Amino acid sequence: METVLVTGGAGFIGANFVRWLMANTMTRVKVLDKLTYAGNRGSLEGLPADRVELVVGDICDAGLVDTLVAACDVVVHFAAESHNDNSLRDPSPFITTNLVGTYTLLQAVRTHDKRYHHISTDEVYGDLDLDDPAKFTEHTPYNPSSPYSSTKAGSDLLVRAWVRSFGVRATISNCSNNYGPYQHIEKFIPRQITNVLTGRRPKLYGTGENVRDWIHVDDHNAAVWTIIQKGQIGQTYLIGADGEKSNREVIEEILRLLGQPDDAYDMVADRPGHDLRYAIDSTKLRTELGWRPTYPSFAEGLAATIGWYEAHESWWADAKQATEAAYAKQGQ
Ligand code: NAD
Ligand code: TDX
């Protein structure tokens, strides 16, 4: 039985990935997660103890990382500081975790010659104009805007260098915005859902015309596993499901699904350096590896996600007050 080391497996996408592996493969999983404010043990509850183990630790801890990498077959690296707004308040943990953490993992997979998959974001490419017919491809030049996206870009470049100079067996994927269960309520969609559920109004940054390209987290994770199974070493694959929507459209849809008037939201201070539009062309992944998104429409996925937050208040309630207090300090 293959053992997969999943870094950041107590975070949003990582925890959904572990759940996806349990449902769709025979693998055994070791999660390495520091349990920062974004990590939650509860996201791994109910999984089989003989197949999933959580090790609480830091990806910058070279000794621990070396031991765990030596004992696994494949490393899937999700752990990161992941929120743009936090990176504007304090970039420091982004530099450490996203750059030094990735370097630490690369050194260990190099030493032990292990297969490595690196999870990254479309934000490394910067942004597109609203009326630009182009989408991001694997050939788009890197042009990141925020401390978050620049550290993700830097980590991708480290991976490419370790492939070329040291022969590390790695692949990279850059995905668009994910939604689904277990996402921290600091992020756009769960923030608005839990605002309505707690009697607050949704908060739209700036004009709300900014566009994000939404994909259900299960479709992202199925693509990651496809790349691990069939991807070519050294290659980058873009993951996206043609889900472009403006932030205003998403807020209006959330309000409608929750039975509220669709103008019952506040317009608040914009994010400094706010990227205008992301859009992914995932032709390479679809044609070369045969992946397709399978999740039903965004509206259905959003309705199911709202249902999950309604049913799992105990998972998010403790973080709500502090998260909103931090936003309020910035007029958001
Ligand atoms: P998240 O913030 O929900 O989870 C990150 C996890 O990493 C948490 O469990 C946290 O405790 C852990 N972690 C942080 N620092 C650590 C450290 N030093 N050592 C060990 N563990 C640490 O993030 P997410 O949204 O699940 O994103 C996962 C990955 O996917 C990230 O690499 C992110 O850049 C990438 N990504 C996210 C999206 C998205 O829409 N959320 C889109 C594309 C790519
Ligand atoms: O309250 C809000 N109001 C609002 O209008 C919040 C929290 C966000 N926004 C806007 C900003 C963005 O245009 O919504 C959009 C989405 O915001 P986030 O959820 O913060 O996501 P984004 O900045 O697009 O980055 C996400 O996708 C790419 C993830 O957080 C990253 O980890 C991933 O790399």
Side-chain angles (χ1 to χ4, degrees):
M1 194 190 280
E2 218 179 3
T3 299
V4 184
L5 178 63
V6 179
T7 72
F12 164 46
I13 306 177
N16 278 290
F17 182 67
V18 176
R19 290 180 177 279
W20 191 94
L21 287 179
M22 291 303 107
N24 294 285
T25 73
M26 301 295 289
T27 53
R28 205 189 293 274
V29 169
K30 227 171 230 189
V31 168
L32 171 59
D33 198 295
K34 192 178 172 181
L35 296 183
T36 67
Y37 80 95
N40 191 330
R41 270 179 200 280
S43 303
L44 296 169
E45 248 167 36
L47 293 173
D50 58 339
R51 287 182 66 197
V52 180
E53 184 191 339
L54 169 63
V55 177
V56 179
D58 194 326
I59 55 166
C60 300
D61 178 341
L64 175 63
V65 164
D66 188 80
T67 304
L68 292 173
V69 168
C72 77
D73 299 296
V74 47
V75 178
V76 191
H77 177 34
F78 290 91
E81 285 292 337
S82 70
H83 193 37
N84 276 299
D85 292 323
N86 293 344
S87 81
L88 296 161
R89 285 178 207 136
D90 178 13
S92 155
F94 290 75
I95 305 290
T96 310
T97 289
N98 299 357
L99 290 169
V100 179
T102 298
Y103 158 75
T104 307
L105 281 159
L106 285 169
Q107 287 291 74
V109 294
R110 176 187 170 196
T111 302
H112 299 288
D113 188 23
K114 297 295 164 112
R115 176 79 171 83
Y116 171 88
H117 182 71
H118 185 73
I119 304 292
S120 191
T121 168
D122 57 1
E123 296 191 19
V124 299
Y125 301 114
D127 61 356
L128 298 162
D129 284 334
L130 292 179
D131 58 357
D132 189 341
K135 297 184 174 197
F136 299 137
T137 74
E138 288 78 5
H139 304 293
T140 305
Y142 274 34
N143 187 26
S145 310
S146 72
Y148 162 68
S149 53
S150 60
T151 56
K152 290 300 293 187
S155 72
D156 293 8
L157 298 181
L158 291 176
V159 178
R160 290 185 186 186
W162 261 242
V163 169
R164 175 151 175 170
S165 298
F166 305 123
V168 161
R169 293 182 291 128
T171 41
I172 299 175
S173 56
N174 297 78
C175 189
S176 59
N177 285 60
N178 285 221
Y179 73 96
Y182 301 104
Q183 186 167 30
H184 195 279
I185 55 163
E186 69 189 352
K187 301 294 192 326
F188 179 56
I189 287 181
R191 183 183 183 204
Q192 314 315 334
I193 296 170
T194 55
N195 272 3
V196 177
L197 296 180
T198 56
R200 297 169 167 93
R201 283 162 68 93
K203 310 288 181 203
L204 188 64
Y205 291 176
T207 61
E209 65 184 342
N210 307 64
V211 168
R212 296 294 181 265
D213 187 356
W214 293 99
I215 182 172
H216 192 276
V217 65
D218 289 342
D219 279 332
H220 178 182
N221 283 329
V224 167
W225 192 243
T226 300
I227 295 165
I228 291 166
Q229 298 299 301
K230 301 201 264 179
Q232 265 190 37
I233 298 303
Q235 291 292 306
T236 289
Y237 298 89
L238 264 54
I239 306 173
D242 298 323
E244 282 187 70
K245 295 241 176 283
S246 75
N247 293 339
R248 183 190 296 275
E249 287 175 297
V250 173
I251 282 201
E252 288 174 354
E253 185 73 27
I254 290 170
L255 284 164
R256 267 196 295 276
L257 287 165
L258 284 164
Q260 306 283 318
D262 64 9
D263 60 353
Y265 59 85
D266 296 330
M267 296 181 74
V268 296
D270 206 356
R271 173 184 284 172
H274 196 174
D275 280 341
L276 197 49
R277 172 173 162 248
Y278 305 138
I280 289 269
D281 177 347
S282 58
T283 304
K284 177 178 175 181
L285 177 63
R286 292 175 195 234
T287 55
E288 291 185 14
L289 305 188
W291 170 87
R292 296 272 177 287
T294 59
Y295 216 79
S297 69
F298 179 72
E300 281 172 78
L302 187 59
T305 303
I306 290 174
W308 189 88
Y309 281 91
E310 284 175 324
H312 293 84
E313 191 179 338
S314 60
W315 183 88
W316 54 264
D318 285 352
K320 188 65 186 167
Q321 196 82 26
T323 303
E324 289 308 314
Y327 276 126
K329 271 195 203 152
Q330 295 175 182
Q332 292 178 322

